[in-house]
Amino acid sequence: MRLRALLETGTLGLRLLAGEDELDRTVRGVMTTDLRDPSRYLSGGELVLTGLAWHRRPQDSEPFVRILVQNGVSGLAAGEAEFGSVPKDLVVACARHRLPLFAVDEAVSFASITEHVVRQVSGERAGDLAAVVERHRKLMTAGPAGGGPEVVLDLLGSDLDLRAWVLSPTGRRIAGAGTDGSATLPVPLRPALAGEHLAAVRSGRRGPYRLVTQAGTYSLFPIRSSGSRPGAGAGRTVAADIRETVLSDWLLAVEADAGDWPAERLDLLQGVTQLIAVERERRDAARTVRRRLAQEVLELVQTAAPPAEVAARLRVAAPVLLPGLGAAPHWQVVVARVEWEDSGLDSGPITQALLEEILVDPQSGGPEPSDRIAVAHAGEEAVALVPLPSLPDGEDGQVQGLRAEELLAAVAEPLGRGLDGDGRLTIGVSAVVHSAEGLRGALEEARHARRVAAARTGRVCAAGHQELASHVLLLPFVPDDVRRAFTARLLDPLRDYDRRHRAELIPTLEAFLDSDGSWTRCAGRLHLHVNTLRYRIGRIEQLTGRDLSRLEDKLDFFLALRMS
């Protein structure tokens, strides 16, 4: 707003004492002070309000006014309550430095002036920013212009003093206002914000959502795609089921409490989310080539095509996924599946979009890292081909690939909340393969690892190739009725005996097997005399008809305990 508008506002009762030619100056804010040197609190463009407590003698006015001018203050308003009128030496100093000076009647509070200025300035900024956002939206809709979401977030910071970030559903930072956007939003806070967003969307709450943390209060605005599902083409309809998009939509996190915002500001932020959604859809469309490459390779591998043909397709894919790489890299296969209870949703495209995000390093910023991930989907599964660059010449060691536990740690918190109630995500990771011949085995390995993960409890589970070497992982695939009959036949007699005699035969059996059948170690572990231990083991053999000196019987007991 302009200083002239303040003078023309009758309710403020301001009188101009100096600087009539400078009334077209812009006011960007207001600051109240009675310090002799308030420079540390000035940033330029303020209307300074003062009660003149700093004024002890006429010589004080000149240095005070000089400090205000040097710091770019737009105007000075002095209260008359202290002296009954504004000192003449202050009027002279302001006139000399061409600084507009207003007298504030003692009946007018500084609070009312501050409230008026803040309201006017905020309204004008919001209007200006809305116009910029609309212009930016038209540019981005018409073609790849406008600079992306970072430009809009910078505008929110500079014009409305709002710090905001665009986050993925796993909490990865897509964009942040300013070059330090990644540093100003704490890394541990991002999954919490994403999880709160997903939980709120699943519960049907209206946005924006609010989260109060030790770091401050954040308002979360959904950035919803215009389509029914990830990967659909233009002209698609709004999703009939929120589960079709909830795991792939971005969110806008604003460091502010939007609970008491006026409708105009809320509408402005909704416009910002729509603007970012346009950019999201454009970048999703750019994934078409990578998805097609992955689909072609997957179909060749599944149909047992000759390795030479698969290798040829990989040579085409490598430059797209790893620009500048001279030779075809090593590869890993990751298989994922999202399952909803009592739902006929086609989860293949949902999982495809989600896996593209999961495979990106959570510490990386921006949308570009996902440009090196190729994900196809076959039925309800999504299958990713992950390229791994070779080690430089002369460097020893093996190529380090993705690990299931690391993928799980990065996404479990937010996605668990988004799936809570009726959804599950299971992931399987293969070993690194070095040629086309190994891809079919890697695909089967990743699929088997995913089935192992699916046999576990939890909303988000993952398993890697390292775990497939253990026979224990075969147990979940034994039919339930077979498992129940097997464990009952071996363990029920011992449980019944323990219940009647408090003999602790089951704990004794577990300790004996954990001690590899060593009488001494097992007795020491249970704090028993060896003869007492021998009596208990004899009772177990008598009740079950088994011989714990035989490897086969030991193995049967071990499996029965694990399956129980």
Side-chain angles (χ1 to χ4, degrees), residues 237-323:
T237 57
V238 176
D241 191 322
I242 192 63
R243 292 174 297 181
E244 294 183 19
T245 58
V246 65
L247 298 179
S248 60
D249 284 345
W250 291 349
L251 68 138
L252 178 67
V254 181
E255 190 179 19
D257 187 349
D260 56 354
W261 280 6
E264 294 80 6
R265 179 168 287 202
L266 289 174
D267 289 344
L268 173 62
L269 267 293
Q270 294 296 344
V272 170
T273 64
Q274 293 170 11
L275 183 63
I276 296 171
V278 172
E279 178 67 10
R280 167 72 189 275
E281 291 176 6
R282 174 175 290 111
R283 290 175 174 176
D284 282 349
R287 296 182 177 182
T288 304
V289 173
R290 296 189 301 279
R291 286 175 170 175
R292 186 184 302 120
L293 286 173
Q295 201 74 40
E296 290 175 356
V297 175
L298 176 61
E299 291 172 0
L300 290 173
V301 171
Q302 290 187 134
T303 57
E309 188 176 352
V310 178
R313 297 309 303 158
L314 288 178
R315 282 195 294 272
V316 173
V320 175
L321 299 176
L322 288 177

Side-chain angles (χ1 to χ4, degrees), residues 316-337:
V316 173
V320 175
L321 299 176
L322 288 177
L325 191 67
H330 309 279
W331 299 87
Q332 257 183 308
V333 177
V334 180
V335 174
R337 182 172 181 175

